[in-house]
Amino acid sequence: MIEARNLTYMYRSPGVAPVTALDRLNFEIRRGQSVGIMGPTGSGKSTLIQNLNGLLRPTGGSLTVDGIRIETASKKQMSVLRSRVGIVFQFPEQQLFEATVFADVAFGPRNLRLAAAEVEKRVARALEAVGLPGEQFARRSPLALSGGQKRRVAIAGVLAMQPQLLILDEPTAGLDPGGRRRFLQMVRALRQEQPGLTILMVTHRAEELAGWVDRVLVLHEGRLLMAGSEHEVFTRTDELTAIGLQPPVSAVVFNRLRQFGWELNSEALQPEEAAKLIAGCWHKRMEEKAKCCGT
Amino acid sequence: MVFTEVLAFIAVSDLHYDYRVPSGEVLPALRGIDLIIQPGEFVGVAGPNGSGKSTLARHFNALLLPAAGSVIVDGFNTLDSGQRWDIRQRVAMVFSNPDNQLVAPVAEEDVAFGPGNLGIDPEEIERRVDAALEWVNMKEHRHRLVHHLSGGQKQRIVIAGALAMLPRYLILDEPTAMLDARSRRELLDVVHRLNRERGMTVILISHYLEELMETERLVILAEGQIRWQGTPEDLFRQPETLTALDLELPPIMELAQGLRRQGIPVPNETSQVEQLVSFLLQAGEAER
Amino acid sequence: MLRDLTVGMYLPGNSRLHSLHPGAKIIATAILMLAVFLVTSMSGCLVLAAVLFGLWGLAGLSPRLLVQGFRPLLWVLLLVLPLQLFFTPGPPLAVWGPLAISSTGVEGSLWLLYRLAALVAISSLLTLTTSPVALADGLEQLLAPLAKVRFPAHEMAMVISIALRFIPLLGEEADIIGKAQKSRGAALDSGNLGQRSKAAVAFLVPMILASFRRADELALAMESRCYRGGAGRTRLRRTRIGAAEILAVLGAAAVALIAGGRW
């Protein structure tokens, strides 16, 4: 789905030294994968996202998304790209502007020049996917909704374009724990309903990715620091903390215990499984102590 | 003098407040809050979005006025319009979006904004600005343009601006909501230092339980009322209350709970990674 | 581009011009601009030009900056110069069919060029040596006496200061909203008029709403910090009005009178 070879992006402003936001990134993401992207502020996450749908063009290297080479894409190809790649920006509720929820969610599909019946269908599906179904709701003004509802309408607006690649930029920013939980549930449901959908989620909370992403990419100062499964990446706790990210606590605890000779051979990132593994080791050590010192 | 000191606290009595929506509806936001904040306390206020946390905060410095009940700060009643400015000088407020609180283009000029409003002499303003910038470790950035600062730096300038008013109370409404992990930690360290070393009374509103674990007293709001009050340790001993209040345990405590369920007697107060690790290591050795 | 609009003009420095009180600089600038129009003789031109070059050097500015300052003017010149050159009545010097260049036309064009160049140089001297914040401050101090006759001098200065503070931010916001709507297929820079207007609405409404939201929050923050309007406010530092300032203003007046031939 996505192929990046030495992908580079430099910001140039007159009178200021050029800034390298992306520095020779090399990675591949297959169709249908769910990928988490992490990195401290200024690591290039936003720049990378904007390259993926053509808002920015790579200044060096190459980037191919769904078969389209971004650096050389024609206007027509860009149009196609926009319909295949959906980006939910941070605080997406700020982009709402129409008089009714329906009209706002329909904005995207209408820009794709779809027939009115198709637009209606898509809007209904999208609103259902985010948990805001019903004709009544669709007639309300998006600006009179609660913060959480506004955000869901904005997400529906992107889903209604039925993208093949869905990119979420810090989608839980500003949400309370309940809202965060509900959002992650929605993403999981989406994955199940559309197994071919490729999802990229940018977040700075490792816990949000644990348990459902296929891969994690870690960016640092424009470079790809780590790429691998969540186990491969999250267990490198010292490196993650060094660049200002917080690895999942279970990974940190595992590593610390291992430093003291605990034999924890496998990994678990979710609290319940992690607890079981630690407990198993703990009980084993208690038994061994009892044996050796004769209680 | 003694009389004034006796009156140094915030007293909220049976506070009610309603929001009026354009459609004419009336939404009750606070439905009878009774709360006393003693000088020097570090109080945390938590609750889901819409529980009334921010509404309550805005009553402390008279940005909002009670529909019923009262809010008294150091003996001044917020309903008395003549005393509003005295209240606002004592009660400094920090909101969550740093950009929407910075008024002047240059950092030190923004810190000077507050004292400037009080008509203080330029020499005294300069002294206060120096001291405030020192407290938040931003002295070397004093001449920079605010839009060149990072989120965490901006928020620290906001706090400096608050300190320059020489307040008694510092109210922070989700101050770290838009910051990354490192900035969050730096900001909270500054706030805790202010409380410990300057005796500043702090009210921290947040829905990150990790931040609230470091407070002396926790007030949990839900639907405009106080649902629970007590120390953080008390709260974490009652995980059912947490779930009932739709709050989330910080990941480290979830792990501790999981371990308890597996038969390992992890102490209830365990709230830091190192604490848990030490406990696990020691308990293993204790049998010798 | 919008991000550094306000910073682009000002170049920090240590020259005597940089440290002058901004209010004095504004007055001196106004006087010198007046001088440009008072000049009617060749010697007057030379005097003024010499003074300007001298000040430019005193401010520690490179001549290249002066040339750069003229660039925006090229468009104006391209429009106005031919009119001045070809259509001023007077004794003809050269004729091409219907177009005639008269000696008065040439003279007029030269004066036009000179005056525009001088005005650019004078205003650049001000903006390159004075930060926007200092300019707003200076303006406020000059207009402060008017507050007595109900002119909102302090409030105006606050408005200018806040505008300067937020222009870069609005630029960033415009960028994000533009990108979000473009990602939804909004035809911000393509398509027919109907599509572009729709896209414009999709851009403007969120921008306006964001601005109102921002204004609301800022007002709350300002009130929390005891802002009650401009009266009685004090500032962090005030540049003193001293000998240098008086010299600057009187000097400008002298140059105006000499160059204008009225001395």
Side-chain angles (χ1 to χ4, degrees), chain A residues 104-167:
Chain A
D104 208 287
V105 178
F107 182 65
R110 281 187 183 147
N111 284 328
L112 294 174
R113 320 284 185 83
L114 298 167
E118 176 67 20
V119 170
E120 253 191 71
K121 218 170 54 167
R122 290 194 182 196
V123 170
R125 265 185 77 183
L127 284 171
E128 231 191 276
V130 299
L132 298 170
E135 257 201 61
Q136 271 272 359
F137 188 83
R139 262 183 260 132
R140 294 178 64 179
S141 161
L143 307 169
L145 302 173
S146 78
Q149 288 172 326
K150 277 190 202 172
R151 181 164 301 195
R152 287 192 275 168
V153 170
I155 296 176
V158 176
L159 291 178
M161 297 183 64
Q162 290 187 348
Q164 314 234 334
L165 170 62
L166 180 65
I167 305 177

Side-chain angles (χ1 to χ4, degrees), chain B residues 129-149:
Chain B
V129 168
D130 277 346
L133 286 170
E134 180 77 50
W135 256 101
V136 301
N137 296 322
M138 285 293 289
K139 238 179 162 169
E140 58 192 28
H141 299 283
R142 62 190 303 166
H143 295 298
R144 290 183 66 189
L145 291 173
V146 297
H147 82 267
H148 286 155
L149 299 175

Side-chain angles (χ1 to χ4, degrees), chain C residues 6 25 34 138 171 227:
Chain C
T6 46
K25 278 195 269 189
L34 186 63
Y227 182 73

Side-chain angles (χ1 to χ4, degrees), chain B:
Chain B
M1 273 314 289
V2 174
F3 196 60
T4 325
E5 307 219 347
V6 169
L7 290 179
F9 60 96
I10 297 182
V12 177
S13 299
D14 197 32
L15 178 60
H16 284 77
Y17 188 81
D18 306 308
Y19 277 112
R20 242 152 263 278
V21 199
S23 61
E25 262 183 276
V26 168
L27 297 172
L30 294 174
R31 306 188 291 149
I33 306 265
D34 290 294
L35 186 62
I36 300 225
I37 313 278
Q38 304 282 6
E41 270 200 284
F42 196 122
V43 180
V45 177
N49 282 356
S51 52
K53 313 189 291 288
S54 295
T55 313
L56 175 61
R58 285 161 177 64
H59 275 98
F60 290 135
N61 74 341
L63 282 179
L64 294 177
L65 298 176
S70 70
V71 176
I72 306 205
V73 178
D74 285 2
F76 296 112
N77 191 324
T78 59
L79 283 167
D80 188 340
S81 56
Q83 304 183 329
R84 208 154 288 161
W85 304 107
D86 292 293
I87 295 178
R88 290 195 186 153
Q89 181 269 311
R90 285 150 202 272
V91 180
M93 188 101 113
V94 174
F95 300 92
S96 53
N97 188 336
D99 274 318
N100 296 351
Q101 301 173 81
L102 294 169
V103 170
V106 178
E108 64 174 4
E109 299 219 2
D110 188 86
V111 179
F113 180 72
N117 291 331
L118 299 173
I120 297 183
D121 285 334
E123 287 93 45
E124 172 65 13
I125 295 186
E126 182 142 17
R127 271 193 292 270
R128 292 193 189 191
V129 168
D130 277 346
L133 286 170
E134 180 77 50
W135 256 101
V136 301
N137 296 322
M138 285 293 289
K139 238 179 162 169
E140 58 192 28
H141 299 283
R142 62 190 303 166
H143 295 298
R144 290 183 66 189
L145 291 173
V146 297
H147 82 267
H148 286 155
L149 299 175
S150 75
Q153 289 173 324
K154 283 181 195 166
Q155 201 66 310
R156 278 188 280 159
I157 293 290
V158 169
I159 293 189
L163 291 179
M165 307 270 287
L166 298 185
R168 287 250 196 104
Y169 303 90
L170 185 60
I171 322 264
L172 303 131
D173 188 356
E174 306 206 20
T176 59
M178 306 182 85
L179 306 180
D180 61 29
R182 192 172 284 169
S183 305
R184 212 183 300 151
R185 191 66 257 165
E186 282 169 353
L187 198 89
L188 290 170
D189 284 343
V190 168
V191 175
H192 279 283
R193 251 190 329 130
L194 279 169
N195 175 254
R196 276 195 318 264
E197 297 172 25
R198 283 258 294 252
M200 178 82 69
T201 315
V202 176
I203 303 179
L204 175 65
I205 298 171
S206 174
H207 51 226
Y208 293 116
L209 275 181
E210 296 111 328
E211 293 180 355
L212 300 166
M213 287 189 309
E214 300 163 354
T215 61
E216 290 167 18
R217 177 157 65 114
L218 258 187
V219 175
I220 314 269
L221 293 183
E223 291 174 350
Q225 294 181 315
I226 296 184
R227 277 295 156 76
W228 193 91
Q229 246 193 94
T231 63
E233 294 77 40
D234 287 335
L235 182 62
F236 297 128
R237 262 177 232 139
Q238 309 169 23
E240 328 77 53
T241 319
L242 276 172
T243 354
L245 296 169
D246 202 28
L247 295 171
E248 236 174 32
L249 270 181
I252 183 66
M253 301 188 86
E254 269 189 323
L255 184 59
Q257 225 177 35
L259 288 169
R260 271 178 231 124
R261 279 198 280 270
Q262 297 292 327
I264 303 182
V266 180
N268 280 320
E269 314 80 63
T270 312
S271 60
Q272 307 283 348
V273 173
E274 281 313 312
Q275 282 176 336
L276 181 62
V277 172
S278 315
F279 168 78
L280 288 171
L281 292 172
Q282 277 166 10
E285 308 305 310
E287 295 301 301
R288 266 213 200 128

Side-chain angles (χ1 to χ4, degrees), chain C:
Chain C
M1 180 210 83
L2 276 167
R3 259 163 260 216
D4 283 324
L5 197 61
T6 46
V7 197
M9 285 300 287
Y10 169 55
L11 282 175
N14 291 326
S15 76
R16 301 304 302 278
L17 258 75
H18 279 86
S19 53
L20 271 181
H21 189 290
K25 278 195 269 189
I26 292 176
I27 297 180
T29 303
I31 296 177
L32 285 175
M33 285 188 168
L34 186 63
V36 173
F37 292 100
L38 289 177
V39 168
T40 46
S41 68
M42 202 51 189
S43 51
C45 284
L46 290 172
V47 168
L48 190 56
V51 169
L52 290 180
F53 274 119
L55 287 174
W56 200 265
L58 189 63
L61 301 168
S62 84
R64 193 166 39 93
L65 283 169
L66 190 58
V67 176
Q68 277 180 2
F70 292 144
R71 243 186 255 148
L73 272 189
L74 288 176
W75 285 109
V76 177
L77 287 174
L78 252 128
L79 267 163
V80 180
L81 213 53
L83 289 174
Q84 181 74 279
L85 203 56
F86 292 117
F87 295 106
T88 321
L93 286 175
V95 186
W96 284 294
L99 297 170
I101 302 184
S102 63
S103 56
T104 26
V106 174
E107 227 187 288
S109 306
L110 287 173
W111 275 118
L112 182 67
L113 274 170
Y114 173 75
R115 289 199 175 120
L116 278 175
L119 286 174
V120 168
I122 294 169
S123 57
S124 297
L125 264 175
L126 178 64
T127 54
L128 283 168
T129 60
T130 324
S131 78
V133 174
L135 274 176
D137 204 6
L139 204 62
E140 181 187 9
Q141 284 193 281
L142 288 176
L143 296 173
L146 289 177
K148 300 211 176 79
V149 289
R150 306 275 200 81
F151 181 79
H154 301 291
E155 283 71 19
M156 217 182 70
M158 179 64 64
V159 167
I160 294 176
S161 176
I162 293 180
L164 288 173
R165 147 87 185 101
F166 281 104
I167 285 175
L169 223 85
L170 288 176
E172 281 169 17
E173 220 157 53
D175 195 51
I176 295 180
I177 292 184
K179 289 192 170 142
Q181 307 298 40
K182 253 177 114 172
S183 301
R184 292 165 78 190
L188 282 169
D189 35 40
S190 60
N192 61 37
L193 193 62
Q195 289 171 323
R196 288 213 205 195
S197 343
K198 192 58 189 265
V201 172
F203 175 75
L204 288 171
V205 171
M207 281 297 292
I208 293 174
L209 286 175
S211 300
F212 275 121
R213 217 177 297 131
R214 173 153 278 149
D216 262 346
E217 283 183 31
L218 192 65
L220 270 185
M222 288 171 77
E223 265 197 68
S224 299
R225 295 162 81 183
C226 296
Y227 182 73
R228 309 167 238 204
R233 290 202 71 239
T234 46
R235 306 292 287 268
L236 179 57
R237 265 178 224 112
R238 277 266 130 105
T239 334
R240 303 231 176 283
I241 309 252
E245 280 70 27
I246 300 183
L247 187 65
V249 174
L250 290 179
V255 170
L257 290 171
I258 295 175
R262 312 283 202 270
W263 187 267

